[in-house]
Amino acid sequence: MSDIIRRDPRAEWIARNRLHPLHASMQKAETSWMGPNGIVRKNPHVIAAGFVGPAGLKRIDRSGAQQGTVGKRSNASVEVQLPLHIIEQPAFHICVVPDMVGGRLSSHDKDLLGLARKLAGDSGAVVAVIFGEDKEGAFDTAGVDRLLRVQGDAFDGYAPEARVLALSAVESQLAPRHWLLPDSRTGGGELGRRLAAKLGERPATRVWQVAGEQAIGRAGSGQQDIQRALPRLILAAAECAEPVSDTRHEVRLLELAEKVAHSLPRVEDLGPVAVDPAQIPMAEAEFILSGGNGVKDWKMFHQAAIALGATEGASRVAVDDGFMPRNRQVGATGTWVTARVYLAVGISGAIQHLQGIGACDKVVAVNMDPGCDMIKRADLSVIGDSAAILAALMERVATWRQEGKRDAA
Amino acid sequence: MTDLNIVALVSVGAHPTSARPRRAEQDARAVELGLRLAGQNLQLLHAGDPQAEALRGYLGMGLEQLDVLEQPEGADALPLLVDYLQGSRTQLVLTGSQAETGEGSGMLPFLLAERLGWPMVVGLAEVEKVENGVAQVLQALPRGQRRRLKVRLPCVASVDNAAPVARQSAFGPARRGQIEAHEVTVVDDTLLAEASLQPAKPRPKRLKVIKAKTGAERMKAATAKASGGGGQILKDVSPQEGAEAIFKLLIEEGVLR
């Protein structure tokens, strides 16, 4: 089909003739459209006809958002494409080293990229330096103009010394105007300070506001602010700037020009140590298995928590009924949790509970009722009997553990 | 207990509410860790005013002596400490992760390690063993996790709030302890000439910006319930299939160990 707009005189005639039997089906649903001569035409009758709202009342929406009448509404939900910001020849670079907790940009990282974008303006390019594999799919809307992936076995795991060497290679290649790192406990704070010591730069730490050429950061134990000229290396606190929200960026891949100097690591990573999940405070536990009214077999619930290596939590009902201690209650009246993965078994999702898990990244729900609020919040929901699903999950994890042992042997 | 030469760097802290001088929280934890490792052989080192009363808080933890490199306020502690430590036979330097007064950037242990050419460990929680000049230590990570590291000595280690809680400071030993002042050349810190300290401003609360073009969209944004939006729902599946899906997500997120 060609794109040329052609008139259909017969259809127009039917549309004009209200007594014609096909009149109703020939009515244009749109309130405005481009006519054959390039002039925007409007149908005031459709607007005035309105539509029947959810309460059964006739509503008229003149904004043009709600088009046509019920049943004839055209569902043209077009994905809004943000404008692409292209920087062909950057005048300078702003280097950002995001934490990438769990392989994704955290909200802290996004704030930092927002700050970098602000510093880069129209002529600079924001370079994100990423170590190892990542699962992030939205670098473009986060404000990354250039992406530099540093890969290699030397940078996997905890390797701050190798990473600092890689960053100093980036320094000599790009000579960025600013280095931005998150002042976080998940790696950025340490890496930034190591880099500062290596480069001999005096960083501004815990920066929470950058205004013009001045940076304001917390000093001492947070009782004082320190205001100073903007240094080259900035370790910024969370919410230091608004994240990028209304532009897209090209995420052009950069390569390191030369291989990173290799040095024998003086700090060797021997891997994580198994910590008893019950000992971890709930507010900072990474993985929580939480049970509610739908859990009938509490013995198995505890077994599942041990098998998965999860910290136990509970909804208010489970606590009130005496199945779990009060200090395990999740929600507005209990603990506000920040888990990365929250596995809710038999919890319908009262608003107080949903508030308590507001900071969780991934929520998995196991529930009998497909219409409950927890399922609307969850990233993955399984509808079914919780006991059977927990048993199957424990079995699956057990086989996985055995396979792992066999591989290691 | 080991026969390591351990130095704990201590500073004068400030109470979070009254701002009165006290022993710094994290430095006291570093001293506690040092006491557990080396007992009475632990050496305390401070750069600043030997007359500061708060320093006696560390002596009250059961040590007899504290060395002070005498310097006025606003001087740079780094060169003095580098000179002092280079000449000594120190194997482990323990510090808090940031000072409670002044800039508090937390850079000192990193700069010290860089200048001395020693490795640096952040968030030391426990020293498990020391063999042939290599220490096996536990590092505290966020969310209560621990990581085992092997580090060559001598090294610099900072502790944070995951280190053991400091013991109480006793009054008698604090009075009896000796504070030994050393004369050193003073180097001024250039930062305070160009930066200004001011009482901390409360940070503005972030507003929820709704970028809606129409009234209907604004209404929806204002009244919408918390929703993940497009979560995957598995209905009418066998428990095994459901468990498999959950298992996959747990593996993807890396929470199964």
Side-chain angles (χ1 to χ4, degrees):
Chain A
M1 288 281 285
S2 71
D3 291 335
I4 302 166
I5 304 166
R6 291 187 187 283
R7 293 181 65 180
D8 182 352
R10 182 170 174 274
E12 284 176 13
W13 173 70
I14 295 174
R16 278 199 305 275
N17 184 357
R18 270 184 284 162
L19 298 177
H20 196 282
L22 292 177
H23 170 74
S25 61
M26 290 296 175
Q27 282 300 302
K28 275 219 164 74
E30 303 101 293
T31 51
S32 67
W33 65 95
M34 186 72 80
N37 299 323
I39 300 168
V40 175
R41 318 299 310 213
K42 278 187 184 170
N43 184 355
H45 301 296
V46 173
I47 300 172
F51 58 94
V52 178
L57 297 174
K58 185 179 150 185
R59 324 287 339 195
I60 298 173
D61 180 1
R62 291 185 197 278
S63 69
Q66 197 90 49
Q67 290 173 347
T69 51
V70 180
K72 272 194 184 175
R73 221 175 293 166
S74 56
N75 260 349
S77 61
V78 185
E79 186 92 351
V80 181
Q81 193 78 296
L82 295 169
L84 185 64
H85 183 92
I86 295 177
I87 293 165
E88 208 55 55
Q89 291 292 332
F92 57 90
H93 292 94
I94 307 270
C95 275
V96 179
V97 188
D99 267 347
M100 305 292 288
V101 181
R104 290 194 192 86
L105 289 173
S106 64
S107 65
H108 195 168
D109 293 338
K110 286 179 185 163
D111 295 345
L112 201 67
L113 285 166
L115 178 62
R117 202 52 256 157
K118 210 170 93 182
L119 291 172
D122 287 334
S123 51
V126 174
V127 184
V129 185
I130 310 275
F131 293 98
E133 297 294 322
D134 63 84
K135 293 180 232 158
E136 180 62 49
F139 282 118
D140 54 346
T141 47
V144 177
D145 294 312
R146 304 279 189 275
L147 185 65
L148 205 162
R149 282 203 171 91
V150 184
Q151 273 158 343
D153 293 341
F155 308 108
D156 290 345
Y158 179 70
E161 292 174 326
R163 289 184 178 200
V164 166
L165 279 180
L167 292 182
S168 29
V170 175
E171 161 83 12
S172 54
Q173 184 181 332
L174 297 176
R177 182 179 285 187
H178 289 291
W179 278 98
L180 264 67
L181 288 100
D183 200 348
S184 64
R185 277 196 66 211
T186 42
E190 181 194 350
L191 192 64
R193 287 182 174 86
R194 281 184 193 269
L195 182 66
K198 180 90 182 168
L199 301 181
E201 297 282 347
R202 186 164 194 162
T205 53
R206 290 182 278 163
V207 171
W208 57 271
Q209 193 176 56
V210 174
E213 284 301 297
Q214 294 283 314
I216 304 178
R218 287 275 190 256
S221 55
Q223 300 285 304
Q224 285 177 311
D225 275 344
I226 190 160
Q227 184 171 8
R228 63 175 117 195
L230 196 62
R232 266 197 77 208
L233 211 155
I234 302 164
L235 299 177
E239 301 197 0
C240 53
E242 289 294 325
V244 172
S245 62
D246 38 17
T247 46
R248 246 171 352 118
H249 298 262
E250 36 184 353
V251 200
R252 209 178 288 180
L253 288 179
L254 284 185
E255 293 284 330
L256 268 181
E258 48 198 283
K259 280 202 110 175
V260 177
H262 183 71
S263 78
L264 211 61
R266 295 176 298 177
V267 180
E268 196 186 329
D269 184 5
L270 298 183
V273 180
V275 187
D276 181 8
Q279 299 296 323
I280 302 172
M282 262 235 297
E284 49 179 82
E286 191 171 29
F287 175 27
I288 295 179
L289 175 67
S290 197
N293 202 24
V295 177
K296 296 288 173 261
D297 188 351
W298 283 93
K299 204 173 158 196
M300 197 174 86
F301 176 80
H302 297 310
Q303 283 171 357
I306 293 169
L308 296 173
T311 306
E312 287 183 11
S315 72
R316 188 192 55 79
V317 183
V319 172
D320 281 358
D321 292 351
F323 293 117
M324 291 286 274
R326 181 63 70 189
N327 63 1
R328 292 281 148 199
Q329 184 180 331
V330 174
T333 41
T335 314
W336 293 61
V337 297
T338 57
R340 275 209 299 121
V341 179
Y342 186 82
L343 180 47
V345 181
I347 298 177
S348 61
I351 186 71
Q352 289 85 353
H353 194 86
L354 292 181
Q355 283 169 357
I357 61 169
C360 295
D361 280 352
K362 291 267 170 193
V363 176
V364 183
V366 177
N367 212 310
M368 288 294 268
D369 172 16
C372 68
D373 284 344
M374 181 55 91
I375 298 221
K376 287 177 196 145
R377 164 71 173 86
D379 300 275
L380 171 68
S381 339
V382 182
I383 313 293
D385 178 33
S386 65
I389 292 170
L390 272 187
L393 185 59
M394 276 160 68
E395 206 173 292
R396 183 71 188 82
V397 171
T399 52
W400 175 72
R401 293 243 154 93
Q402 270 181 354
E403 276 168 28
K405 269 191 200 132
R406 218 176 301 140
D407 287 350
Chain B
M1 222 177 269
T2 51
D3 48 356
L4 280 172
N5 287 325
I6 302 182
V7 172
L9 305 183
V10 297
S11 65
V12 176
H15 192 273
T17 318
S18 65
R20 272 162 62 154
R22 59 160 192 179
R23 60 173 189 176
E25 168 72 26
Q26 289 179 345
D27 292 350
R29 284 177 190 255
V31 172
E32 174 68 37
L33 196 64
L35 278 171
R36 289 187 187 188
L37 284 172
Q40 285 298 313
N41 297 329
L42 176 70
Q43 190 193 350
L44 295 182
L45 186 60
H46 172 69
D49 178 16
Q51 306 298 327
E53 272 303 298
L55 290 178
R56 296 210 167 260
Y58 298 106
L59 291 171
M61 292 171 76
L63 286 155
E64 280 156 17
Q65 201 193 337
L66 191 155
D67 293 289
V68 178
L69 309 176
E70 199 171 350
Q71 63 171 18
E73 207 169 309
D76 193 355
L78 182 68
L80 315 183
L81 293 173
V82 171
D83 285 348
Y84 187 91
L85 291 171
Q86 242 161 6
S88 71
R89 294 199 319 196
T90 309
Q91 285 166 295
L92 179 61
V93 177
L94 293 172
T95 74
S97 39
Q98 71 189 33
E100 292 182 5
T101 54
E103 188 191 4
S105 65
M107 279 300 292
L108 184 103
F110 292 91
L111 290 170
L112 205 56
E114 183 71 25
R115 294 270 183 95
L116 292 168
W118 295 358
M120 159 89 200
V121 175
V122 179
L124 184 69
E126 198 184 322
V127 177
E128 288 184 324
K129 60 178 179 193
V130 181
E131 280 177 346
N132 312 326
V134 176
Q136 187 173 315
V137 301
L138 284 188
Q139 183 187 35
L141 301 177
R143 299 185 176 281
Q145 302 292 318
R146 295 277 186 278
R147 185 192 278 144
R148 190 167 283 135
L149 296 178
K150 223 178 208 179
V151 58
R152 252 186 285 160
L153 296 179
C155 81
V156 181
S158 71
V159 304
D160 55 22
N161 292 338
V165 179
R167 64 189 71 179
Q168 229 175 349
S169 176
F171 183 75
R175 288 293 106 192
R176 283 194 294 276
Q178 295 289 318
I179 293 185
E180 196 98 353
H182 300 263
E183 289 279 334
V184 281
T185 46
V186 172
V187 183
D188 267 333
D189 188 357
T190 51
L191 175 77
L192 288 171
E194 59 204 36
S196 59
L197 277 172
Q198 52 211 7
K201 264 188 255 165
R203 293 186 52 183
K205 202 162 181 261
R206 180 173 269 183
L207 297 176
K208 196 175 153 198
V209 181
I210 297 162
K211 287 187 176 160
K213 297 243 162 31
T214 64
E217 272 173 54
R218 273 197 295 278
M219 186 67 184
K220 203 176 151 202
T223 55
K225 267 193 178 178
S227 63
Q232 191 193 356
I233 299 179
L234 298 180
K235 222 171 167 181
D236 302 328
V237 292
S238 71
Q240 278 70 28
E241 284 165 344
E244 182 65 37
I246 297 174
F247 174 77
K248 249 201 212 129
L249 185 136
L250 297 182
I251 292 287
E252 232 172 68
E253 291 297 319
V255 288
L256 278 185
R257 299 209 169 82

